[in-house]
């Protein structure tokens, strides 16, 4: 898949490959201690955040947490 | 506002579903999804919280296109993966196009407590138009609601395609759509299972 900016595509590929391996071999097996993808994510994330701002998309809105807060929508019977 | 609820069963264990979730694009049913990026990710209390940003081509009624500067829609996807309860929960909403309509979706993927080879998917959606021309709100909601139902089927088929490609060598079978009774039974079974903290092997 493409990134929101062409400039970030390679960084995205590097990070995604690292993440998918970590997710399967560490996270799902209960190992939450090692985060070897941190450096990949840092540089990729900076690229994406910059691109989002340059495209005049509301970065604050994107990074806002809604799920699990009182702003989350409820079903007609009042449950979530 | 329109509320929509539906359920499906994916014929794969939850472990496979959650791994495929991150790799579900592109697929033959997702030509309208253009970009996909992760903007936030961290492990909190053993759960993986992520925020992703996607862009899709706009899918509203043609006459509405002149009210938006371009036809791209931004989608914000929050998710939590809980490996202890074998649950993936996602919450998505759109930005851009929100002057025409807001579509908010919550999807829960649970390991089926009665069948280790299956995952139950419960989908809820809230569709609301706050369009400045008040008389057009209901027609917009109705149009989007109909389009949304069709897109749910596309999304399910797309996800099933990816699952089959990643995990099986068999031909793709479409996911089973649950009727109301089956959905309610599945929901009750999942609630009982998570209260009992049952962990199933997959």
């Amino acid at each position: 898949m493409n990134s929101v900016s062409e400039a970030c595509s390679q960084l995205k590929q590097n990070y995604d490959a690292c993440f998918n391996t970590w997710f399967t071999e560490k996270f799902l097996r209960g190992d939450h201690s090692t985060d070897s993808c941190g450096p990949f994510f840092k540089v990729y994330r900076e690229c994406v955040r910059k691109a989002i701002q340059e495209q005049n998309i509301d970065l604050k809105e994107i990074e806002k947490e809604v799920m699990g807060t009182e702003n989350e929508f409820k079903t007609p019977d009042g449950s979530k | 506002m329109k509320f929509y609820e539906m359920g499906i069963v994916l014929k794969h264990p939850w472990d496979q579903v959650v791994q495929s979730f991150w790799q579900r694009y592109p697929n033959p049913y997702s030509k309208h999804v253009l970009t996909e990026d992760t903007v936030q990710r961290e492990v909190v209390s053993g759960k993986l919280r992520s925020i992703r940003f996607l862009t899709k081509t706009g899918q509203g009624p043609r006459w509405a296109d002149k009210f938006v500067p371009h036809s791209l829609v931004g989608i914000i996807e929050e998710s939590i993966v809980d490996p202890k309860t074998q649950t993936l929960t996602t919450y998505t909403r759109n930005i851009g196009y929100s002057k025409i309509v807001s579509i908010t979706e919550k999807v829960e993927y649970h390991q089926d407590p009665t069948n280790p080879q299956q995952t139950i998917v419960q989908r809820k959606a809230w569709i609301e138009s706050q369009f400045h021309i008040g008389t057009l709100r209901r027609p917009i909601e109705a149009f989007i609601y109909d389009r949304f139902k069709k897109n749910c089927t596309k999304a399910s088929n797309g996800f099933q395609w990816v699952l089959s490609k990643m995990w099986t060598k068999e031909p793709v079978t479409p996911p089973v759509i649950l009727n109301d009774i089956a959905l309610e039974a599945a929901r009750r079974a999942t609630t009982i299972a998570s209260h009992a903290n049952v962990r199933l092997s997959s």
Side-chain angles (χ1 to χ4, degrees), chain B residues 136-180:
Chain B
L136 289 176
R137 285 180 192 171
R138 272 207 169 171
I140 289 171
E141 285 179 0
F143 178 95
I144 298 291
Y145 180 76
D146 276 345
R147 179 72 74 106
F148 179 77
K149 285 193 286 187
K150 294 192 179 95
N151 284 348
C152 280
T153 308
K154 249 194 344 185
S156 299
N157 288 338
F159 199 178
Q160 182 64 66
W161 185 92
V162 171
L163 282 164
S164 297
K165 186 162 167 252
M166 279 179 73
W167 304 104
T168 71
K169 292 192 161 74
E170 290 152 19
V172 180
T173 52
V176 173
I177 296 177
L178 299 177
N179 61 27
D180 289 338

Side-chain angles (χ1 to χ4, degrees), chain A residues 4 15 24 44-45 72 74, chain B residues 19 37 39 41 106 126:
Chain A
V4 71
Y15 169 67
T24 300
Y44 161 57
R45 184 172 177 252
E72 188 186 326
K74 297 186 180 56
Chain B
Q19 288 174 75
D37 284 293
V39 295
R41 181 166 272 151
K106 184 168 183 178
W126 295 262

Side-chain angles (χ1 to χ4, degrees), chain A residues 1-5 12 15-16 19-20 22-24 27-28 32 41 44-45 48 52 57-58 61-67 71-76 80, chain B residues 1 3 18-19 22-23 25-26 33-41 43 46 48-49 51 53 76 78-81 83 89 91 93 95 104 106 124 126:
Chain A
M1 276 304 292
N2 294 326
S3 169
V4 71
S5 163
K12 171 181 152 63
Y15 169 67
D16 282 352
F19 169 74
N20 286 324
W22 170 85
F23 186 74
T24 300
F27 182 75
L28 287 183
H32 302 166
F41 188 49
Y44 161 57
R45 184 172 177 252
V48 171
I52 284 172
I57 301 167
D58 191 347
E61 182 63 31
I62 291 172
E63 293 184 329
K64 185 173 84 177
E65 266 181 26
V66 176
M67 181 166 61
N71 294 322
E72 188 186 326
F73 279 1
K74 297 186 180 56
T75 59
K80 277 191 184 166
Chain B
M1 183 183 282
F3 176 72
V18 75
Q19 288 174 75
W22 308 114
Q23 301 177 60
Y25 299 125
V33 181
L34 303 177
T35 69
E36 171 199 59
D37 284 293
T38 307
V39 295
Q40 187 80 287
R41 181 166 272 151
V43 177
L48 183 73
R49 286 198 74 118
I51 300 179
F53 178 67
I76 303 165
E78 292 176 77
S79 61
I80 299 178
V81 180
T89 309
Y91 191 81
R93 60 193 202 280
I95 56 170
T104 306
K106 184 168 183 178
K124 295 172 187 152
W126 295 262

Side-chain angles (χ1 to χ4, degrees), chain A residues 28-63:
Chain A
L28 287 183
R29 293 185 192 176
D31 179 354
H32 302 166
S33 59
T34 48
D35 178 21
S36 46
C37 299
F40 288 114
F41 188 49
K42 190 162 183 280
V43 64
Y44 161 57
R45 184 172 177 252
E46 269 320 297
C47 183
V48 171
R49 290 175 94 245
K50 182 160 169 267
I52 284 172
Q53 283 169 315
E54 278 169 2
Q55 292 180 34
N56 291 320
I57 301 167
D58 191 347
L59 182 61
K60 275 212 182 73
E61 182 63 31
I62 291 172
E63 293 184 329

Side-chain angles (χ1 to χ4, degrees), chain B residues 33-176:
Chain B
V33 181
L34 303 177
T35 69
E36 171 199 59
D37 284 293
T38 307
V39 295
Q40 187 80 287
R41 181 166 272 151
E42 55 180 347
V43 177
V44 180
S45 309
K47 301 176 200 178
L48 183 73
R49 286 198 74 118
S50 311
I51 300 179
R52 299 203 302 169
F53 178 67
L54 297 90
T55 61
K56 302 185 180 183
T57 54
Q59 310 225 287
R62 292 265 170 82
W63 52 260
D65 283 350
K66 63 180 182 219
F67 294 105
V68 275
H70 52 71
S71 60
L72 286 191
V73 184
I75 308 286
I76 303 165
E77 176 202 88
E78 292 176 77
S79 61
I80 299 178
V81 180
D82 186 345
K84 267 216 183 91
T85 59
Q86 293 189 299
T87 317
L88 161 65
T89 309
T90 71
Y91 191 81
T92 63
R93 60 193 202 280
N94 59 300
I95 56 170
Y97 223 80
S98 46
K99 283 199 175 76
I100 305 224
V101 68
S102 290
I103 304 172
T104 306
E105 230 187 307
K106 184 168 183 178
V107 189
E108 288 168 323
Y109 303 78
H110 303 272
Q111 173 63 56
D112 185 341
T114 65
N115 184 335
Q117 297 307 315
Q118 285 183 174
T119 297
I120 296 169
V121 186
Q122 290 162 259
R123 188 189 292 272
K124 295 172 187 152
W126 295 262
I127 293 166
E128 185 179 28
S129 177
Q130 297 281 350
F131 197 54
H132 62 279
I133 303 173
T135 49
L136 289 176
R137 285 180 192 171
R138 272 207 169 171
I140 289 171
E141 285 179 0
F143 178 95
I144 298 291
Y145 180 76
D146 276 345
R147 179 72 74 106
F148 179 77
K149 285 193 286 187
K150 294 192 179 95
N151 284 348
C152 280
T153 308
K154 249 194 344 185
S156 299
N157 288 338
F159 199 178
Q160 182 64 66
W161 185 92
V162 171
L163 282 164
S164 297
K165 186 162 167 252
M166 279 179 73
W167 304 104
T168 71
K169 292 192 161 74
E170 290 152 19
V172 180
T173 52
V176 173

